[in-house]
Amino acid sequence: QKEVEQNSGPLSVPEGAIASLNCTYSDRGSQSFFWYRQYSGKSPELIMFIYSNGDKEDGRFTAQLNKASQYVSLLIRDSQPSDSATYLCAVTPDKLIFGTGTRLQVFP
Amino acid sequence: DGGITQSPKYLFRKEGQNVTLSCEQNLNHDAMYWYRQDPGQGLRLIYYSQIVNDFQKGDIAEGYSVSREKKESFPLTVTSAQKNPTAFYLCASTPDRGGTEAFFGQGTRLTVV
């Protein structure tokens, strides 16, 4: 079992829709959870972080964490073509581990 | 400006050669990481270091070596034992063991010729 799992996609959504990205992790000791966005050929950039169960909102982005189910998700409201990128989930048990990423495509 | 610098941006290696990728940070971060990324894939952990003079293997350490002689520097050597080294390599640092945001370098694209 991989430590951090994501659906590789691509996830295609129309402009203005809600994009839902999901991630599961195996280490129950994980304390910190991150979502990064990566454009092709570039370094990842932090979108959201969440430490506690529940929802955390920042603009069009909402991160959701459920430690009992070992599940973290990212919702992107009012999706824009510029949101088209790969979204990487990362968790920290004792080191920073990334999932394989989900490629999001937002079409006009 | 504080940040993390990787060099070179592009690197070409002949088969059988060792090459070293540089990673320097002036953020006073304790932890540093090396990741490998193949096309369409996520980031796979090669090595990480949480304090000076100490480092641990990640998931794909075979064919790679690192050192951490100074807090600000964490070079990665890709040895001839790494059979398929062509990839995008990313260095990152965090203030502590990873509970906070990671800062990334711009990456080094290594190609075997």
Side-chain angles (χ1 to χ4, degrees):
Chain A
Q1 181 187 6
K2 291 184 179 178
E3 293 182 87
V4 181
E5 295 204 49
Q6 295 180 253
N7 187 320
S8 61
L11 173 64
S12 293
V13 301
E15 184 174 357
I18 296 175
S20 177
L21 304 161
N22 304 314
C23 172
T24 58
Y25 60 94
S26 61
D27 191 327
R28 287 193 172 273
S30 298
Q31 295 293 321
S32 305
F33 307 86
F34 305 88
W35 282 99
Y36 286 81
R37 177 175 63 196
Q38 187 181 28
Y39 294 110
S40 181
K42 303 296 184 182
S43 299
E45 55 180 330
L46 184 69
I47 299 296
M48 293 280 293
F49 63 88
I50 186 167
Y51 301 144
S52 304
N53 277 331
D55 295 359
K56 179 181 179 182
E57 186 174 320
D58 183 2
R60 295 187 297 114
F61 300 96
T62 298
Q64 300 174 317
L65 174 61
N66 183 326
K67 289 187 178 180
S69 299
Q70 296 175 248
Y71 174 92
V72 59
S73 65
L74 179 70
L75 300 177
I76 306 174
R77 290 181 299 280
D78 189 24
S79 296
Q80 301 297 310
S82 58
D83 293 327
S84 298
T86 296
Y87 289 80
L88 299 162
C89 173
V91 303
T92 52
D94 58 342
K95 55 187 182 291
L96 187 59
I97 303 169
F98 285 82
T100 54
T102 298
R103 188 157 60 94
L104 174 65
Q105 296 177 336
V106 181
F107 56 91
Chain B
D1 287 337
I4 183 166
T5 302
Q6 287 186 243
S7 63
K9 189 173 181 180
Y10 298 96
L11 185 58
F12 298 90
R13 190 195 93 170
K14 293 182 179 179
E15 288 194 22
Q17 280 184 338
N18 293 353
V19 291
T20 297
L21 283 59
S22 171
C23 179
E24 303 276 335
Q25 54 99 359
N26 60 3
L27 300 165
N28 199 34
H29 285 177
D30 287 326
M32 297 186 74
Y33 300 79
W34 274 106
Y35 297 92
R36 169 179 171 145
Q37 189 173 36
D38 294 287
Q41 302 296 314
L43 277 61
R44 291 187 290 168
L45 184 61
I46 304 173
Y47 269 98
Y48 65 105
S49 168
Q50 292 171 334
I51 57 172
V52 175
N53 293 321
D54 189 43
F55 49 83
Q56 286 77 41
K57 292 182 179 180
D59 299 321
I60 56 165
E62 185 175 352
Y64 299 97
S65 66
V66 294
S67 63
R68 187 85 186 277
E69 297 176 0
K70 299 185 295 183
K71 188 175 185 178
E72 58 269 24
S73 179
F74 191 41
L76 173 73
T77 296
V78 183
T79 75
S80 57
Q82 171 49 237
K83 297 306 179 188
N84 185 21
T86 296
F88 187 49
Y89 291 86
L90 284 160
C91 180
S93 69
T94 61
D96 46 28
R97 285 174 170 259
T100 52
E101 177 184 1
F103 289 76
F104 282 88
Q106 290 186 312
T108 294
R109 190 166 299 279
L110 173 64
T111 303
V112 173
V113 296

